[in-house]
Amino acid sequence: MPMLSFAYTILYVDDVEETLTFYEKAFGFKRKFKTPEGDYGEIMSGETTLAFASHELGASNFKAAYQKSNLDSPFGFELAFTTLDVKAAYETALAHGAIAVEAVVQKPWGQEVGYVKDLNGFLIELCTPISS
């Protein structure tokens, strides 16, 4: 079997520029790349690239339709961002338009975790790193 490496997570969104700006302000990420057409963009998010593509680009990539995200019912997955100060990250995200899902709590194994939704309805976990 060939060796594989997890390289990208691409979220399809209504507005790539608005989403890039939201992730810069709400979570402090820096913009890495955006196409001249504005239909695809990436943020610097660590070893794995987090990218956003327009629904129009998605429609051109796939023959079959896909389910679009929405604010009412998020998909059954999440993006997780680690930080040493979850409460501050949670409050900053809310101040820049994130939607509260679950307040910050401490899990039995010691990790602090809080959940928000981004402006497209995607679930975001803000958490401390899990210690080994």
Side-chain angles (χ1 to χ4, degrees):
M1 175 180 284
M3 178 65 176
L4 298 176
S5 179
F6 184 42
Y8 294 90
T9 295
I10 301 172
L11 304 177
Y12 289 91
V13 299
D14 289 327
D15 189 318
V16 172
E17 176 61 34
E18 182 181 40
T19 302
L20 289 168
T21 300
F22 171 80
Y23 276 75
E24 289 171 323
K25 291 180 178 178
F27 304 112
F29 290 115
K30 301 289 184 217
R31 191 175 301 212
K32 181 177 177 183
F33 171 78
K34 188 175 95 172
T35 61
E37 301 80 15
D39 60 354
Y40 176 85
E42 301 174 351
I43 59 172
M44 292 186 273
S45 57
E47 290 183 37
T48 302
T49 298
L50 178 56
F52 308 99
S54 69
H55 289 297
E56 293 77 18
L57 182 59
S60 74
N61 287 337
F62 309 113
K63 291 177 184 159
Y66 60 87
Q67 184 178 347
K68 293 182 180 181
S69 64
N70 67 69
L71 290 173
D72 296 328
S73 56
F75 295 123
F77 76 89
E78 65 187 58
L79 300 173
F81 303 140
T82 59
T83 178
L84 297 178
D85 192 343
V86 176
K87 290 177 184 166
Y90 186 87
E91 292 302 322
T92 298
L94 295 180
H96 288 95
I99 300 162
V101 175
E102 295 292 336
V104 177
V105 297
Q106 187 164 8
K107 297 293 187 177
W109 52 90
Q111 185 184 34
E112 282 191 330
V113 177
Y115 294 91
V116 299
K117 285 189 286 188
D118 77 359
L119 70 165
N120 301 289
F122 293 109
L123 284 170
I124 310 281
E125 175 184 343
L126 300 168
C127 59
T128 52
I130 296 176
S131 34
S132 321

